[in-house]
Amino acid sequence: MLSGNTKGRESIQEPRFDYYNHEVPDIDLSDCEFPHVIEIYDFPQEFRTEDLLRVFCSYQKKGFDIKWVDDTHALGVFSSPITARDALGIKHTMVKIRPLSQATRAAKAKARAYAEFLQPAKERPETSAALARRLVISALGVRSKQSKTQREAELKKLQEARERKRLEAKQREDIWEGRDQSAV
């Protein structure tokens, strides 16, 4: 409860902060934080993912992905910083490109928020339908329509892949242990 005579006196307290002119500080992203990510911007709102993929078609086999920011901004995620730097040199009439460190606030915020999804794009490993086919055939209880030579070829391919994986693991271990590789 307030006490005292407050009639007749008015006091106006000035605010400590000017909320009308408040500016959000710019998100600081250095070039070394996401060197494999670039901003793609200033393209028509009608553009879809396929259109952007067409612009960067030469990078798709090396590993390239697109993450949308808004209708006219997207992030290009490459497999390596070298590939991203190379892509910055692309000249296209409908699309502009810049490093993430020079990107808009929204693009930087998206990169920060989805950092775990912006890991360098990697090619999908070589796969085989043999396991899936075997599981489906056994679940349905039907005979395989695959010829014996096709099954043998698929089995040989799987064995070669296993051997290649084993050899790569051995080479990595030898390098780690400092063993001579010329003896292998």
Side-chain angles (χ1 to χ4, degrees), residues 40-44 46-47 52 55 91-96:
I40 308 163
Y41 67 102
D42 228 14
F43 49 84
E46 297 79 33
F47 261 40
L52 291 178
V55 172
K91 301 292 182 219
H92 196 275
T93 55
M94 305 291 280
V95 170
K96 292 183 182 173

Side-chain angles (χ1 to χ4, degrees), residues 40 43 45-56 60 64-68 74-75:
I40 308 163
F43 49 84
Q45 286 186 345
E46 297 79 33
F47 261 40
R48 298 188 338 224
T49 304
E50 298 83 43
D51 301 317
L52 291 178
L53 288 173
R54 215 171 290 124
V55 172
F56 296 96
Q60 281 186 300
F64 173 72
D65 195 17
I66 291 176
K67 302 291 182 198
W68 286 91
L75 299 175

Side-chain angles (χ1 to χ4, degrees), residues 1 6 33 49 149 172:
M1 184 170 180
T6 56
E33 200 164 346
T49 304
T149 56
R172 266 195 308 272

Side-chain angles (χ1 to χ4, degrees), residues 70-96:
D70 59 36
D71 290 343
T72 59
H73 292 81
L75 299 175
V77 183
F78 292 87
S79 59
S80 73
I82 295 167
T83 312
R85 205 172 319 118
D86 182 41
L88 286 170
I90 290 179
K91 301 292 182 219
H92 196 275
T93 55
M94 305 291 280
V95 170
K96 292 183 182 173

Side-chain angles (χ1 to χ4, degrees), residues 16-135:
R16 283 189 243 182
F17 303 104
D18 184 6
Y19 293 104
Y20 292 109
N21 294 325
H22 177 69
E23 289 185 21
V24 178
D26 195 25
I27 298 170
D28 183 34
L29 283 178
S30 66
D31 285 330
C32 60
E33 200 164 346
F34 293 106
H36 62 284
V37 180
I38 64 171
E39 183 188 31
I40 308 163
Y41 67 102
D42 228 14
F43 49 84
Q45 286 186 345
E46 297 79 33
F47 261 40
R48 298 188 338 224
T49 304
E50 298 83 43
D51 301 317
L52 291 178
L53 288 173
R54 215 171 290 124
V55 172
F56 296 96
C57 64
S58 60
Y59 297 98
Q60 281 186 300
K61 288 186 180 175
K62 298 175 189 172
F64 173 72
D65 195 17
I66 291 176
K67 302 291 182 198
W68 286 91
V69 177
D70 59 36
D71 290 343
T72 59
H73 292 81
L75 299 175
V77 183
F78 292 87
S79 59
S80 73
I82 295 167
T83 312
R85 205 172 319 118
D86 182 41
L88 286 170
I90 290 179
K91 301 292 182 219
H92 196 275
T93 55
M94 305 291 280
V95 170
K96 292 183 182 173
I97 305 164
R98 61 182 162 208
L100 190 60
S101 60
Q102 299 170 12
T104 61
R105 178 178 286 137
K108 289 179 182 179
K110 177 95 175 197
R112 273 276 163 81
Y114 295 98
E116 68 266 15
F117 301 113
L118 294 179
Q119 297 307 313
K122 294 180 182 172
E123 281 188 51
R124 187 171 180 199
E126 195 176 316
T127 59
S128 169
L131 177 62
R133 189 179 306 109
R134 216 172 34 236
L135 288 171

